[in-house]
Amino acid sequence: MQVVNLCPCGSNNPFEQCCGPIIEGQKQAATASALLASRYSAYVLTQIDYLKQSLHPDKQAEFDEKGARKWSTESDWRGLEILNAVEGGPDDEKGEVEFVATFIQDAQTIRHHEKAQFEKKDGIWYFVDGQAVINNQPLRRETPKVGRNEPCPCGSGKKYKKCCGA
């Protein structure tokens, strides 16, 4: 009897026919939703290099490899549910995918609800940014986002990543 390893994204397809070729660089994601599914599978499988590569080139310098690895390995991934996609098809240049990723961390089940933004550059889909959705409303920052390499807003004189962002 042959054992079929289903794809972690929940597609009911074998990994080798679903997200595997995308993560391994054998083919490109055809849609923003396919890229999202492959990124979820990459978190499940701790494929941190792929997570950085599938991040928009303008955002890769901000990628927190250590944090991504920690989240990936310390979570018990339970499923991905794509709720809605706005554009993001093979002929689009931008798209938004709303999803819920469920995982267990510290014995607590967490449903991460997000609206993710994607952009195609040179024919390749990339993840740009995401906005958490709480109570069906996107989470909005009250203050501007502080970049990792900007001075810490606490006034210490250190970079944010070496101070309050550590």
Side-chain angles (χ1 to χ4, degrees):
M1 184 169 124
Q2 181 181 3
V3 176
V4 176
N5 290 323
L6 293 179
C7 192
C9 76
S11 69
N12 290 325
N13 291 316
F15 177 70
E16 296 78 21
Q17 297 173 9
C18 190
C19 294
I22 297 171
I23 292 171
E24 294 164 6
Q26 297 167 357
K27 74 175 192 176
Q28 296 296 326
T31 64
S33 294
L35 183 64
L36 174 75
S38 70
R39 286 179 56 82
Y40 173 83
S41 293
Y43 272 109
V44 173
L45 301 169
T46 315
Q47 297 292 321
I48 306 305
D49 289 342
Y50 174 74
L51 291 169
K52 184 174 183 179
Q53 292 165 1
S54 61
L55 186 61
H56 193 280
D58 294 344
K59 305 280 185 170
Q60 288 182 4
E62 301 170 17
F63 183 69
D64 179 6
E65 182 177 334
K66 185 177 177 184
R69 185 175 305 283
K70 182 176 180 178
W71 190 28
S72 173
T73 59
E74 292 182 4
S75 299
D76 181 6
W77 299 94
R78 294 302 180 147
L80 173 68
E81 180 182 3
I82 295 179
L83 303 175
N84 189 33
V86 178
E87 298 182 333
D91 298 326
D92 295 319
E93 296 298 315
K94 291 187 177 193
E96 178 183 87
V97 181
E98 182 176 0
F99 70 95
V100 174
T102 305
F103 58 95
I104 298 173
Q105 196 172 60
D106 297 327
Q108 194 172 32
T109 300
I110 300 168
R111 288 178 41 88
H112 177 77
H113 186 175
E114 181 177 309
K115 287 187 177 181
Q117 305 298 317
F118 296 86
E119 187 176 310
K120 196 185 287 183
K121 183 175 180 175
D122 299 325
I124 300 171
W125 280 109
Y126 292 99
F127 170 72
V128 176
D129 200 0
Q131 193 172 53
V133 177
I134 299 176
N135 298 329
N136 294 325
Q137 294 294 319
L139 179 65
R140 303 226 185 269
R141 286 188 179 86
E142 297 298 321
T143 58
K145 181 178 178 182
V146 179
R148 291 174 25 86
N149 291 312
E150 293 179 19
C152 191
C154 77
S156 68
K158 297 179 183 178
K159 288 184 178 184
Y160 177 71
K161 68 181 177 186
K162 297 287 186 180
C163 190
C164 294

